[in-house]
């Protein structure tokens, strides 16, 4: 007998006649709030040029800031910027195409994740994956002066987390249900099982291939134009894939195993 998304809901909810069924294309509140946040922050481009540059320096992620040199000590923001820029860089964008590209990828993957996690977990997850992307950028761009900005590390993390349950029957990539909430709450595959799924492996191969070859997404602003911080994407993606279990509120239906993440 074919299983249905509602079969994965807790029994008390499964039999509740008032359970709300929501179309797949309706955005959850947490994702809507996140997109609005990106749009509001992007209004900084309307500031006078000097003030806009100051905003990017104070809230963008700059590897040079973590040097012990006197030059690093002179960055605006002081010691506090060494902490908050691990996250704040991710809500800044260079232009409308930059922010639009990130939002476009968030619509399917971020929507499912926001439904599954709820608002608090979703925003915490986006912050953690942003920090992981910044750390990857710091390790691979030591002493770099160019500020890195963009939500691409968090978007990559959301994509990675979503594939832990996206290919399970009844999930949002099945396209056979109109109940978005139920489709977002199917039990996730353990990591060891997901990495044996050919569909997941194919997705990983395509994603890493696109990022390594084209480096689409997050942008670093420098004196010589724009460059792509693809290492930050990979950092965010790996964090989303590996740390998904810390945020996932949906119980597993498979027996626990020692190697299960």
């Amino acid at each position: 007998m074919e299983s249905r998304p509602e079969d994965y809901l807790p029994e008390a909810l499964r039999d509740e006649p008032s359970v709300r069924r929501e179309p797949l294309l309706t955005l959850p509140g947490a994702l809507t709030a996140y997109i609005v946040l990106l749009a509001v922050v992007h209004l900084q481009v309307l500031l006078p040029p000097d003030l806009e540059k100051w905003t990017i320096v104070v809230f963008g992620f700059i590897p040079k800031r973590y040097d012990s040199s006197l030059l690093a000590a002179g960055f605006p923001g002081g010691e506090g910027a060494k902490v908050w820029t691990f996250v704040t860089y991710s809500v800044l964008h260079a232009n409308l195409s930059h922010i639009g590209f990130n939002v476009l990828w968030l619509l399917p993957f971020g929507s499912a994740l926001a439904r599954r996690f709820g608002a608090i977990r979703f925003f915490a997850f986006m912050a953690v994956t942003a920090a992981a992307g910044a750390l990857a950028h710091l390790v691979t761009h030591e002493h770099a002066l160019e500020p890195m900005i963009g939500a691409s590390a968090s978007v990559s993390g959301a994509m990675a987390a979503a594939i832990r349950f996206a290919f399970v029957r009844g999930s949002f990539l099945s396209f056979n249900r109109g109940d978005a909430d139920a489709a977002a709450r199917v039990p996730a595959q353990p990591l060891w099982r997901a990495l044996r799924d050919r569909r997941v492996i194919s997705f990983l191969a395509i994603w890493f291939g696109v990022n390594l070859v084209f480096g689409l997404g997050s942008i670093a602003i420098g004196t010589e134009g724009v460059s792509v911080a693809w290492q930050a994407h990979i950092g965010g993606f790996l964090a989303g894939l590996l740390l998904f279990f810390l945020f996932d509120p949906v119980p597993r239906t498979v027996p626990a195993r020692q190697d299960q993440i």
Side-chain angles (χ1 to χ4, degrees), residues 32-222:
T32 301
Y34 184 77
I35 294 174
V36 169
L37 173 64
L38 298 183
V40 170
V41 171
H42 190 61
L43 293 178
Q44 55 90 21
V45 299
L46 301 178
L47 296 172
D50 289 344
L51 189 54
E52 181 187 359
K53 291 179 181 178
W54 180 88
T55 301
I56 293 176
V57 171
V58 172
F59 297 103
F61 188 81
I62 306 174
K64 186 69 175 179
R65 199 192 304 272
Y66 302 90
D67 283 357
S68 57
S69 64
L70 292 177
L71 177 61
F75 277 109
E79 293 297 314
K82 292 183 177 181
V83 178
W84 67 59
T85 56
F86 268 88
V87 175
T88 55
Y89 83 92
S90 66
V91 296
L92 291 166
H93 289 83
N95 48 50
L96 288 177
S97 62
H98 187 199
I99 193 173
F101 182 86
N102 282 327
V103 169
L104 181 64
W105 280 110
L106 265 181
L107 292 180
F109 296 97
S111 181
L113 207 64
R115 295 181 194 281
R116 187 181 187 92
F117 284 175
I120 294 177
R121 284 189 178 94
F122 176 74
F123 277 98
F125 177 86
M126 298 298 277
V128 167
T129 49
L135 181 60
H137 184 71
L138 177 61
V139 170
T140 55
H141 291 78
E142 189 178 5
H143 310 304
L145 277 168
E146 297 81 5
M148 179 183 72
I149 60 176
S152 299
S154 294
V155 173
S156 298
M159 294 172 67
I163 66 172
R164 292 288 297 271
F165 61 93
F167 297 106
V168 176
R169 175 175 292 182
S171 188
F172 69 100
L173 287 186
S174 297
F175 296 114
N176 62 348
R177 298 291 298 180
D179 190 347
D181 288 330
R185 295 184 64 83
V186 298
Q189 298 185 82
L191 184 58
W192 62 268
R193 180 175 294 176
L195 293 179
R196 295 178 182 177
D197 189 321
R198 287 179 295 179
R199 297 166 299 177
V200 173
I201 296 299
S202 297
F203 185 94
L204 291 174
I206 294 172
W207 188 90
F208 276 96
V210 168
N211 276 272
L212 291 176
V213 175
F214 299 103
L216 297 176
S218 187
I219 294 179
I221 306 299

Side-chain angles (χ1 to χ4, degrees), residues 1-9 14-15 21 169-171 176-177 182-183 186-187:
M1 180 178 179
E2 184 178 359
S3 60
R4 301 165 299 172
E6 54 265 36
D7 294 334
Y8 296 113
L9 290 172
R14 194 186 312 162
D15 298 330
R21 300 176 65 82
R169 175 175 292 182
S171 188
N176 62 348
R177 298 291 298 180
V186 298

Side-chain angles (χ1 to χ4, degrees), residues 225-251:
V226 295
S227 59
V228 174
W230 57 268
Q231 295 93 337
H233 306 174
I234 293 178
F237 190 91
L238 291 177
L241 188 67
L242 298 175
L243 300 181
F244 167 80
F245 77 105
L246 293 176
F247 297 87
D248 190 21
V250 180

